[in-house]
Amino acid sequence: MDRKIVQDATFPKCPIRNILSHISEKWTFLVLYTLENNGKMRFNDIYRCIPDISQKMLAATLRTLKEDGIISRTIYPEVPPKVEYELTDRGLSLLPHIDSLIGWAIKNFDDILADRKAAQ
């Protein structure tokens, strides 16, 4: 499946479906949260901050976020090569919404777990 374009047969021009398909991927929030808290970071630094992500998945997530203009990737002409990732203005504008969702999750976490347990 092409990670760049997600279309629904019923609603092929729906921007929400296309954008949410990237934003809601498993690792996206953690990568954005990590960059929000640390600023510019190199790949291995991000990788160390998210211990359960694979290098392949981190690379794919960073690539998708870069293609969407949410993060930037700067390559410095050094030996060995140095590459840094950071949030763009578009990425920074997304953070209040993510922070709000994280706050909601923290506030409701215990009640949601209790409801799940009661439903079993």
Side-chain angles (χ1 to χ4, degrees):
M1 176 182 200
D2 186 349
R3 292 173 54 91
K4 293 181 187 176
I5 299 173
V6 175
Q7 290 187 339
D8 181 277
T10 309
F11 304 101
K13 294 188 180 197
C14 180
I16 247 348
R17 292 171 192 263
N18 186 285
I19 293 169
L20 281 180
S21 71
H22 287 184
I23 300 301
S24 64
E25 287 181 357
K26 181 177 180 178
W27 301 107
T28 298
F29 274 37
L30 291 173
V31 169
L32 295 175
Y33 179 79
T34 300
L35 289 171
E36 176 184 20
N37 287 313
N38 296 288
K40 282 184 187 179
M41 295 181 77
R42 296 180 73 174
F43 182 93
N44 282 332
D45 296 328
I46 299 169
Y47 181 65
R48 279 190 284 276
C49 287
I50 309 172
D52 48 345
I53 192 170
S54 69
Q55 288 187 355
K56 181 179 179 180
M57 196 66 238
L58 177 57
T61 301
L62 291 170
R63 188 177 317 108
T64 299
L65 290 170
K66 181 186 177 302
E67 289 168 354
D68 287 350
I70 295 171
I71 65 169
S72 65
R73 179 178 188 259
T74 305
I75 304 168
Y76 297 94
E78 301 176 1
V79 177
K82 178 180 175 182
V83 178
E84 289 182 330
Y85 298 90
E86 70 179 317
L87 293 164
T88 61
D89 289 340
R90 183 177 301 147
L92 290 169
S93 72
L94 179 59
L95 292 179
H97 307 287
I98 291 173
D99 291 341
S100 177
L101 183 57
I102 290 169
W104 178 89
I106 290 168
K107 179 180 176 185
N108 290 282
F109 186 69
D110 292 335
D111 291 336
I112 290 171
L113 290 181
D115 289 343
R116 286 178 184 172
K117 187 174 184 178
Q120 292 179 346

